Amino acid sequence: FGEIKIRKKKPLIDYLSTKLVLERSLVVEGSSCLTDLDVLDDDIIVTTCQETKMLYLLDMTGKQLSSFELKGNPWGIAAIQKKFFCVTLRNPGLAIIFKVKECSITVWKELKTSSNAWGISAEEQRIILSTDKQGGGQVFRFYDLEGNSCGEQEVSVGVSECGAINATPGEPLLFTYHDGNSLFSVDFKVAGSATKLHEGGNMNHPIGVTRDPNGNIYVACFRSNNVIQFNKNGNFIREIIHTDPTVQSSYGIRVKRLGDDIKLMLTTGGKVLVYRFSD
């Protein structure tokens, strides 16, 4: 008959001033370089390791529920709807939509591309995939939630390698350019348009990018071992993580509900770090 989840109303979070407190460090056994993560149904963490070419499902305590061997080097992850999520692979260029049923992982559909697949994100009605563009830049490929192709758009800025993207309905798409130490936004209503939001300074080799429920932006930086926070307009606010010795060479980042609360989650080495927002 299904189930009903009832949550108590919690005080609103002021994301621009609240502190982050490390709540859990989840060791993913068998992994050494986790590239990205996302959350299914508020309680299952999906993550991938590019060294072992493995996909893992974890519960909120870090218990490994299931794993799946991939046929390429994984990079980005996007939760799509209910028990469906998509993982990008490079060499070969491929994105795979998976279905989870009772913690069992099965391939639902493959989205083949002519070049390496990198960042991926899902809006309400479509999946957006970033792939290599010859000569530099990126090709953003669009799919409906069934995995059917529905167009593409190019930008000439940066490279796709080591990039991540974040798509939110009604907002510009965000992507990171690691070699240029930059964060960009893209307005798909303007062909080929990309706007630089931030460059250099305390941003060294940015990879992961995400938004909180208020639209504020977070970027995980691989070489500077920090997380930078911007407001929804792309204005720098602060280094929200910058002195945490557990954060080394981070790739993936999400601000998303996990259990009853909104958490910030970060991949570093073979661990998933879970932070709570605290006054």
Side-chain angles (χ1 to χ4, degrees), residues 16-256:
L16 298 181
S17 63
T18 188
K19 298 178 181 178
L20 280 179
V21 176
L22 180 61
E23 187 177 80
R24 282 166 273 172
S25 177
L26 310 179
V27 177
V28 183
E29 184 143 1
S31 70
S32 58
C33 186
L34 301 174
T35 59
D36 203 4
L37 78 164
D38 213 330
V39 180
L40 301 179
D41 288 351
D42 300 346
D43 58 7
I44 296 178
I45 299 170
V46 185
T47 188
T48 52
C49 177
Q50 66 174 344
E51 297 297 330
T52 60
K53 300 181 182 179
M54 292 295 293
L55 163 66
Y56 302 98
L57 295 185
L58 314 173
D59 70 10
M60 292 188 296
T61 68
K63 178 183 177 181
Q64 195 171 126
L65 303 174
S66 187
S67 62
F68 189 95
E69 187 173 0
L70 301 164
K71 52 187 176 183
N73 297 101
W75 191 255
I77 302 174
I80 301 174
Q81 54 182 348
K82 296 182 179 178
K83 297 293 186 179
F84 291 85
F85 65 94
C86 194
V87 174
T88 61
L89 305 179
R90 44 193 179 85
N91 191 29
L94 184 68
I96 305 176
I97 299 177
F98 291 94
K99 182 179 180 180
V100 176
K101 185 176 182 180
E102 297 177 354
C103 296
S104 177
I105 307 169
T106 57
V107 174
W108 187 70
K109 192 167 187 176
E110 293 187 349
L111 311 179
K112 296 181 179 180
T113 69
S114 58
S115 55
N116 286 336
W118 295 93
I120 188 167
S121 190
E123 293 180 322
E124 292 176 343
Q125 299 299 324
R126 68 178 179 177
I127 301 165
I128 304 176
L129 174 65
S130 172
T131 61
D132 289 343
K133 176 178 176 291
Q134 188 173 8
Q138 304 185 52
V139 179
F140 295 104
R141 304 179 189 275
F142 309 114
Y143 302 85
D144 64 22
L145 298 185
E146 299 296 319
N148 301 306
S149 177
C150 51
E152 63 180 50
Q153 188 162 323
E154 297 183 1
V155 297
S156 59
V157 175
V159 292
S160 294
E161 183 179 355
C162 289
I165 66 175
N166 175 267
T168 300
E171 298 293 339
L173 177 137
L174 302 171
F175 75 89
T176 54
Y177 173 27
H178 76 292
D179 278 345
N181 298 321
S182 304
L183 172 68
F184 284 86
S185 68
V186 178
D187 183 354
F188 288 123
K189 296 176 183 177
V190 182
S193 169
T195 301
K196 185 182 293 183
L197 300 179
H198 189 81
E199 179 181 13
N202 46 13
M203 178 182 283
N204 191 342
H205 209 89
I207 298 182
V209 59
T210 189
R211 285 179 168 106
D212 66 32
N214 292 348
N216 303 304
I217 303 163
Y218 303 75
V219 176
C221 300
F222 179 80
R223 289 205 176 121
S224 46
N225 299 318
N226 59 353
V227 173
I228 302 176
Q229 183 188 49
F230 304 86
N231 66 17
K232 64 182 300 182
N233 298 318
N235 299 317
F236 173 80
I237 300 298
R238 56 179 168 162
E239 289 182 81
I240 195 167
I241 296 177
H242 63 97
T243 57
D244 189 337
T246 60
V247 177
Q248 297 292 324
S249 305
S250 57
Y251 283 85
I253 186 171
R254 288 292 184 282
V255 175
K256 206 163 183 180

